[in-house]
Amino acid sequence: MGQFGIGQSVRRDEDPRLLRGYGEYISDMVRPNMAYGYVLRSPHAHARVLSIDTRAAQQMPGVLGIFTGADLKADGIGQLKVRMPRKRPDGSPPFFTPHPGLARDTVQYAGDLVAYVVADTVASAKDAAEHIEVEYEPLSSVTQTVEAVKPAASAVWDACPDNISNIFELGDKAAVEAAFAQAHHVTRQRFVITRIMHNAIEPRGCIGDYDHKTGRYTLYGCFGSVHGVRRAFAEDIFKVPENKFRVVSGDIGGAFGSKGPTAPENTLALYASKKLGRPVKWIAERSECFLSDDHCRDNVTDAELALDKDGNFLALRVKTLANVGAYLGSDSNLLPTFANLGTLAGVYKTPAIHASVLCVFTNTSATAPYRGAGRPEACYVIEGMIDRAAREMGIDRIELRRRNIIPETAMPFKTGLIFVYDSGKFEENMDQALASADYAGFEARRAESKKRGKLRGLGISNPIERASAPPGGESAEIRFDATGTATLVVGTTSQGQSHETMYKIILSDKLGLDFEDIAFLQGDTDKVVWGVGTFGSRAAVIGGSAALVASEKIIAKGRKIAAHIFEAAEADVEFSKGTFAVAGTDKKLPLKEVAKAAFTPGRIPPGLEPGLFETGVWEPKAQNFPCGTHVCEIEIDPDTGKLDIVRYVAVDDVGVVINALTLHGQVHGGVAQGVGQAMGEHIVYDESGQLLSGSFMDYPMPRADDLCAIEVEDNPAPTKTNPLGAKGAGEAGTVGALPAVMSAALDALGPLGVKHIEMPLTPERVWQVIREARPN
């Protein structure tokens, strides 16, 4: 492919392999003498398990073993832990509920794990599962977020009768109360942020392989953080030293937060492998994913915005009920409820903000991070509050934003909550997006739509999010071989984001290497020394910076070798575009030749170790803040409620752009996921706790015809928080899309007197709102 520099549009280097079917996903992985696992799941949302009879199932052909919660308990199998400090509203310790791997005395949601069957084939395991007799005593259940905290609500856990796990508060409560006391106007709104799920192309799966000869566990799967998974399983679950545990991740067909250490099926495959002496493979069926994958979002937020008579923001108060499902057993389950509350400040000068989050249990699947992990919810709240305040005060919504937006000259800016923005051209982003979307001509387009009997609306959001936050660094190792080619080893794991191409661009730009001369390695704890992993839009920024540090070490050692070969002073040797040269002379030597010399006796300086391989570690001291403006224009057919997106413009500031092509692809994908939640995606349980949206027939994923061409523009304000000047980009599209689409819908319905509409914007819901606004 040649050499490339940072900022170019570079085609994905991994695509030829993947498109030709040479990828290695978990379904492609095979171990010798492998058996297959199948999970028997609860049909009840809440019930006591009175007995489990596996005798008939044990006699079925091909069955190797059947395990229950009693087996795991007897063998001392541990559980994951929540390490983040929390408390309940009365100050008492938090109530956390790690999953035991298999249910013991009770099942807590429809789909909870009851028994694990291992057989020679998946079909045999399924057949045997049908012969397991489980006696249940059904109990009452609660699935809706608001209902969970009502006095008459059923208790998910007997030891937690009020269903409250913990509370988290942030901000200056006294300052907020004082600001509200003197406010000229207060805007109030409740936002119901729906429960959705990840729906990666590749379902979850794993292979557990215990080696009795070495006493070593190996877990194959699809993990963004192989070292994090290794630590959790070794330390918390199997209680063995980390060097007795290996985690291997192949190619990953999407994750978005769903493929971490929390899945009990990973524990079961490893446990069964040790008990049976054979590798055990488990792959989720799509119906299982709907039932048992960690879900996401599911918040109910009450927000209040205080303003003075000129529309200046004085304070924001936000109270959220966060539905964490039945099991809250790891930091991952807790993370999205609090980690991105700072996004509530938006790009605005609001001087005082207070937020509180009450985490509540329900008889549903657990919740975990999903692309944005709290950022889209927070952005939806602040941008929705601004739109509502503008309508109530009779101020143009763009003008209200302009009065309160943080100017570029104010950087660094400490928000009214916790963030300190180091860079960003917020008003410029908004102006650029509005110009590109032809905001000036919108009213003419609205009038034209009205002539055709349609409702037209334009929505805007100014998203900002924190990315690549500390603590947690990354490592990158560059290993040259004796022929002058290199292998790059990184601690992050790609889930489809094109990490391989991104890292190669950095090395190509810094070291002047051709792509063909760089091999790429990731996802194996036995081969990668250390890494924190892929999440929170951190791989390019933190992992890329580590690769940059390693590159600089390579250049420093290469300069010593080149100076020795040139018989020149080291200070006189320069490096540029892959070549060492003696300043002021025609003496030159490519890096590849210096690398070869590093392995050749007599060609390196005395006292210098042979070889050319260096490790770089980089840990951020501060997060960075990707931001931008999204403008969405829609048209609604009032007779059917069908909503069409007719134009979408996104202006994004992700600092220094490493690969413009894949950046825009990331934005496109993120926008599609935000649009999906706004327009149709919704996990729904009935009153008895049964899942109603259990297939793609009932859970409408966005399709190509739900979207228009997405126009993406860059307006970078490089950050000084890392040596690349880059900001995280992976989640930016989702953060801006959800509020922009909802804003556009309300703008279209506003002339009818509609003041608020809840997501998702299904044709039925939109039609019903129009009908209620036009009773005649």
Side-chain angles (χ1 to χ4, degrees), residues 329-346:
S330 76
D331 289 344
S332 177
N333 296 132
L334 192 59
L335 191 67
T337 67
F338 76 92
N340 291 293
L341 289 177
T343 303
L344 286 167

Side-chain angles (χ1 to χ4, degrees), residues 41 197 284-293 691 694-695:
R41 299 185 182 275
M197 65 176 296
E285 297 179 354
R286 186 61 66 178
S287 59
E288 279 187 286
C289 292
F290 278 99
L291 278 172
S292 63
D293 278 10
L691 184 64
S695 75

Side-chain angles (χ1 to χ4, degrees), residues 180 184-191 303-309 311 384-397 400 746 753-756:
F180 270 88
H184 171 76
H185 178 83
V186 175
T187 289
R188 297 179 174 88
Q189 181 61 54
R190 167 167 284 192
F191 299 90
E304 299 173 284
L305 179 64
L307 305 92
D308 68 14
K309 61 182 178 61
M385 291 298 288
I386 295 171
D387 281 351
R388 186 175 181 92
R391 290 191 297 272
E392 292 176 351
M393 296 187 71
I395 302 174
D396 177 78
R397 57 185 169 156
L400 185 59
L746 202 53
V754 176
K755 295 182 178 180
H756 185 68

